[in-house]
């Protein structure tokens, strides 16, 4: 389905493997196996000051898996018609975000680390950073 028509219902929590060990637990993520895309890029977000927000954009092509590698935060997804909010707080769960979804990131706990696995290299032209433009892109607003 194209990203202009994508909905928040296509985004979902993926339960990742957790290899329990008294020495410390481990979660592997293999592109194309544990998640439905090959990984071209990884980035992580950290040292987010209390009360700050991130995100506030959509992507046209990019698929992402977002994991709270430490701490917690809230991701609110928006397809222009419906919204769905997720609190991520487990390093063995990821939120799959399909293209064409606006996201706002809030409520970062102290020490939170957001790990993102991305299907594409960084491309500024893949971003929609204006919500009205996003609604036009989704065919909801003229
Ligand atoms: P942005 O994606 O807007 O951050 P967030 O959604 O977490 O608020 O990116 C912030 C800045 O970092 C922006 O100037 C682009 C740059 N950036 C890169 O250079 N490479 C990357 O892979 C990412 C994700 C961002």
């Amino acid at each position: 389905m194209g990203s202009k028509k994508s909905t928040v219902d296509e985004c979902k929590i993926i339960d990742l493997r957790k290899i329990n060990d008294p020495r410390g637990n481990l979660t592997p993520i293999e592109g194309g196996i544990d998640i439905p895309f090959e990984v071209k890029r990884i980035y992580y977000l950290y040292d987010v000051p209390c009360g700050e927000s991130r995100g506030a954009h959509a992507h046209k092509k990019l698929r992402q898996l977002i994991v709270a590698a430490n701490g917690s935060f809230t991701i609110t997804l928006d397809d222009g018609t419906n919204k769905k909010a997720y609190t991520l707080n487990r390093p063995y769960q990821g939120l799959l975000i399909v293209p064409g979804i606006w996201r706002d990131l809030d409520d970062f706990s102290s020490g939170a680390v957001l790990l993102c696995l991305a299907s594409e290299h960084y491309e500024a032209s893949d971003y929609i950073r204006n919500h009205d433009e996003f609604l036009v892109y989704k065919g909801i607003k003229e």
Side-chain angles (χ1 to χ4, degrees), residues 59-130:
H59 288 280
K60 295 175 195 166
K61 253 182 29 197
L62 189 71
R63 287 179 287 167
Q64 292 169 293
L65 185 84
I66 308 260
V67 177
N70 192 53
S72 65
F73 47 84
T74 299
I75 306 186
T76 305
L77 304 178
D78 169 10
D79 59 22
T81 306
N82 291 305
K83 286 189 181 188
K84 219 165 170 177
Y86 291 89
T87 297
L88 295 186
N89 55 13
R90 298 192 173 96
Y92 52 87
Q93 281 187 337
L95 178 63
L96 178 73
I97 307 183
V98 300
I101 302 292
W102 187 271
R103 86 289 312 274
D104 289 299
L105 306 169
D106 304 284
D107 298 333
F108 285 86
S109 70
S110 152
V113 179
L114 177 156
L115 174 66
C116 177
L117 283 64
S119 67
E120 309 297 332
H121 292 299
Y122 176 73
E123 226 180 289
S125 62
D126 190 58
Y127 282 74
I128 304 170
R129 292 193 179 273
N130 177 288

